[in-house]
């Protein structure tokens, strides 16, 4: 697929037809990140001809810098256009590699076929950092069997793997070139950020490589600080106070209080002076929310209908502070309340996706499924996001539901049925039907692979204090 000795050709931002004559040894990409057959003809197209340029392009293809990942990217047509892609964390157990390789290959090829274009080939990336005293070269050799089973799995579907690139410790290696003159055993340093043709074209178009996966996930990961103990105590107290009221079918008091508190916190976050830096901004948001406020919101959002009402804050002036609030609540699901993070993580993923940040949306929804694989809301949204569903179709559904909801807290308290999960036909169930149609009855797990989606096991844990959070959540959510 690549010509290891050929330099990349120049890019003319005003000439989008330059790639029409690209040889089979090259691959073309729009630096905006829109890839494959749907690339707009009024955008510049960059030709990649070396493994170094492929490695440099990966963050632009995914929207973030992958870590500990196996990535497959489809190639289409004589021009070698980049198309669909799938990503999954590298399994720790080597015995799982053949099965994972087959699933990834089937997911990629099947997804491309559903969109009407079977790939001509695949480019694979293995991204993993050394552990302990391990060198990058040792990582390459350790992952060589994974590279081979990926090639075998794709070949079994009659789709050849043109190139497998391993990225580790600031260098890259190719498994497909035996010539040590161009691909030495010690690897080749990655291109310095911002110096490649693709980086220049992306800068011209205002596109930047995203953060790393760990940076995205750090914003959504529960606290590990001393404050986590205080937050867990607040969650214990909130659970004992709120769950009996949530289970009361007579009214909507907790739902109204939860939504009102969320609105007040969003206003507080929005009014706070801006600060520079992601870490600083998240820390400032954490300081604006008291432990008891966070606990009340986390418990209140376990009720499906309340969470669905909160999902309506997905656009306009409401969306940015809502996203910051959901991130902050995900960070507060500490200790025994880890599973409660499924609700704020799902909301964060949905709002991020609705605002156009597919990368954070997918990561947040993946994290929601990691803490609760059976969480239906996250499963449906995750599948829709991975399948390229236009979020506007979901926004229209939520707007319709918002128009049909009681508009005041007094009306919400008086509305029958919804507190117990018996929502009328015009509410969140319409969203479920829309997502179910988009998902085709299944869901996609992390990296675009299909998750089992089976029913949650019957029975449950004991009733000791260590199991109380799980019992409270199962009692409170009344469905997902």
């Amino acid at each position: 697929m690549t010509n290891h000795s050929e330099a990349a050709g120049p890019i003319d931002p005003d000439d989008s037809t330059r790639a029409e004559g690209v040889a089979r040894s090259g691959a073309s990409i729009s630096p905006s990140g829109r890839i494959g057959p749907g690339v707009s003809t009024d955008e510049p197209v960059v030709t990649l001809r070396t493994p170094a340029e492929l490695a440099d392009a990966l963050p632009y293809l995914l929207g973030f810098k992958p870590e500990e990942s196996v990535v497959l990217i489809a190639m289409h047509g004589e021009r070698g256009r980049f198309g669909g892609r799938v990503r999954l964390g590298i399994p720790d157990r080597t015995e799982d590699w053949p099965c994972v390789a087959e699933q990834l290959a089937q997911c990629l090829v099947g997804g491309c076929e559903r969109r009407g274009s079977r790939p001509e080939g695949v480019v694979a990336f293995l991204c993993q950092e050394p552990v302990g005293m391990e060198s990058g070269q040792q990582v390459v050799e350790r992952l060589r069997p994974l590279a081979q089973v990926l090639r075998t799995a794709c070949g079994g579907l009659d789709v050849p793997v043109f190139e497998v690139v391993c990225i580790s410790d600031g260098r890259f290696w190719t498994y497909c070139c035996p010539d040590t003159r161009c691909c030495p055993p010690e690897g080749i340093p990655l291109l310095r950020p911002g110096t490649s043709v693709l980086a220049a074209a992306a800068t011209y178009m205002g596109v930047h490589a995203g953060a790393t996966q760990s940076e995205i996930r750090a914003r959504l990961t529960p606290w590990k600080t001393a404050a986590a103990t205080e937050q867990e105590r607040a969650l214990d107290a909130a659970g004992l106070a709120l769950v009996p009221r949530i289970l009361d079918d007579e009214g909507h008091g907790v739902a109204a209080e939860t939504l009102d508190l969320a609105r007040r916190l969003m206003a507080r976050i929005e009014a706070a002076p801006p600060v520079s830096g992601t870490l600083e901004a998240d820390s400032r948001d954490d300081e604006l929310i008291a432990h008891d406020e966070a606990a009340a919101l986390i418990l209140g959002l376990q009720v499906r209908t309340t969470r669905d009402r909160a999902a309506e804050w997905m656009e306009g002036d409401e969306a940015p502070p809502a996203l910051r609030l959901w991130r902050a609540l995900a960070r507060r699901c500490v200790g025994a309340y880890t599973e409660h993070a499924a609700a704020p993580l799902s909301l964060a993923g949905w709002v991020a996706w609705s605002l156009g940040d597919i990368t954070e949306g997918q990561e947040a929804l993946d994290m929601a499924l990691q803490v609760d694989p059976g969480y239906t809301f996250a499963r449906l949204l995750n599948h829709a996001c991975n399948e390229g569903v236009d979020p506007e179709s979901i926004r229209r559904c939520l707007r319709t539901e918002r128009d049909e909801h009681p508009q005041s807290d007094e009306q919400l308290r008086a509305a029958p049925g919804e507190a117990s999960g018996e929502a009328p036909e015009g509410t969140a169930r319409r969203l479920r039907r829309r997502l179910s149609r988009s998902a085709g009855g299944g869901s996609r797990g992390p990296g675009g692979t299909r998750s089992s989606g089976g029913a949650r096991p019957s029975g449950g844990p004991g009733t000791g204090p260590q199991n109380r959070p799980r019992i409270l959540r199962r009692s409170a959510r009344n469905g997902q």
Side-chain angles (χ1 to χ4, degrees):
M1 176 268 178
T2 53
N3 182 340
H4 293 195
S5 62
E6 184 176 7
I11 177 172
D12 181 354
D14 296 323
D15 183 4
S16 62
T17 64
R18 180 174 300 278
E20 292 296 336
V22 172
R24 182 65 180 182
S25 62
S28 58
I29 175 176
S30 162
S32 69
R34 288 191 289 274
I35 55 182
V39 173
S40 173
T41 57
D42 60 357
E43 294 183 352
V45 177
V46 178
T47 302
L48 309 176
R49 296 190 177 93
T50 71
E53 291 166 343
L54 285 176
D56 179 70
L58 190 55
Y60 298 95
L61 291 168
L62 296 179
F64 62 94
K65 300 172 184 175
E67 300 171 332
E68 308 298 317
S69 297
V70 52
V71 182
L72 300 184
I73 300 177
M75 306 289 293
H76 296 273
E78 291 299 320
R79 293 166 51 190
R81 296 186 308 271
F82 283 121
R85 63 275 195 200
V86 294
R87 182 202 64 82
L88 190 67
I90 297 176
D92 292 331
R93 303 195 320 162
T94 57
E95 54 266 36
D96 293 335
W97 289 357
C99 178
V100 167
E102 290 181 6
Q103 292 178 353
L104 285 172
Q106 291 171 0
C107 180
L108 179 65
V109 175
C112 291
E113 288 180 332
R114 286 193 297 273
R115 292 178 174 84
S117 178
R118 183 177 176 83
E120 302 290 333
V122 170
V123 176
F125 296 86
L126 301 179
C127 307
Q128 191 170 74
E129 291 303 304
V131 178
M133 299 300 293
E134 191 178 34
S135 67
Q137 190 171 350
Q138 290 171 320
V139 173
V140 174
E141 292 305 316
R142 178 165 51 79
L143 296 181
R144 188 176 294 277
L146 176 56
Q148 184 56 47
V149 295
L150 287 170
R151 299 176 72 179
T152 301
C154 293
L157 299 175
D158 294 326
V159 179
V161 175
F162 294 145
E163 186 71 89
V164 184
V165 177
C166 182
I167 301 174
S168 181
D169 197 24
R171 292 175 171 264
F172 73 88
W173 291 257
T174 171
Y175 291 106
C176 298
C177 178
D179 192 343
T180 58
R181 293 173 299 177
C182 60
C183 298
E186 66 273 15
I188 302 172
L190 294 170
L191 295 177
R192 191 155 49 90
T195 62
S196 67
V197 174
L198 178 59
T203 300
Y204 173 83
M205 298 191 66
V207 177
H208 303 282
T212 64
Q213 285 177 268
S214 59
E215 290 169 341
I216 296 172
R217 288 175 170 257
R219 308 190 71 182
L220 303 166
T221 299
W223 287 346
K224 301 295 184 184
T225 63
T229 301
E230 298 179 28
Q231 182 61 67
E232 189 168 9
R233 291 194 189 113
L235 285 162
D236 283 337
L240 293 174
L242 292 178
V243 168
R245 296 181 58 202
I246 291 173
L247 296 177
D248 182 1
D249 293 341
E250 296 300 322
H252 281 248
V254 175
E257 292 169 10
T258 299
L259 295 171
D260 180 65
L261 176 58
R263 292 187 191 99
R264 287 189 281 113
L265 290 181
M266 287 164 54
R268 188 186 303 170
I269 289 172
E270 181 70 12
V275 296
S276 60
T278 298
L279 179 61
E280 291 78 6
D282 288 346
S283 297
R284 193 273 312 274
D285 290 347
D286 289 338
E287 293 171 357
L288 294 174
I289 304 172
H291 292 312
D292 59 340
E293 292 175 324
L297 273 184
I298 291 169
L299 266 294
L301 289 172
Q302 303 309 308
V303 178
R304 173 177 58 82
T305 50
T306 307
R307 180 211 60 208
D308 290 346
R309 288 290 301 271
E312 296 167 6
W313 302 327
M314 75 286 186
E315 58 187 344
D317 294 337
E318 293 176 326
L323 177 57
R324 290 163 59 186
L325 176 59
W326 308 144
R327 289 190 194 120
L329 293 183
R331 295 192 292 268
R332 302 288 189 113
C333 294
V334 297
Y337 291 85
T338 301
E339 190 176 304
H340 287 62
L345 284 171
S346 298
L347 290 169
W350 158 236
V351 177
W353 177 30
S354 179
L355 290 174
D357 191 341
I358 297 177
T359 301
E360 181 175 357
Q362 290 175 328
E363 288 297 319
L365 292 168
D366 285 351
M367 291 176 70
L369 291 173
Q370 287 172 2
V371 299
D372 187 351
Y375 200 65
T376 306
F377 188 64
R379 288 174 51 211
L380 294 172
L381 284 171
N382 188 54
H383 182 74
C385 184
N386 286 333
E387 287 295 306
V389 173
D390 186 350
E392 176 59 22
S393 63
I394 302 174
R395 286 193 292 263
R396 284 196 298 267
C397 180
L398 287 171
R399 292 186 200 111
T400 301
E401 293 174 359
R402 182 173 54 198
D403 293 341
E404 296 176 354
H405 279 312
Q407 295 302 308
S408 69
D409 290 346
E410 290 74 16
Q411 290 174 314
L412 181 60
R413 289 187 179 93
E418 199 167 323
S420 62
E422 298 175 359
E425 183 63 19
T427 59
R429 294 181 182 179
R430 184 183 300 131
L431 173 61
R432 290 169 172 275
R433 292 199 306 274
R434 178 70 58 86
L435 290 176
S436 295
R437 287 196 296 270
S438 300
S443 65
R444 295 281 169 179
T449 58
R450 185 169 297 277
S451 60
S452 61
R456 302 198 61 173
S458 60
T463 58
Q466 71 274 17
N467 294 312
R468 183 182 300 143
R470 182 181 296 271
I471 295 170
L472 294 179
R473 180 170 182 268
R474 288 183 174 178
S475 300
R477 64 188 177 189
N478 290 320
Q480 299 171 342

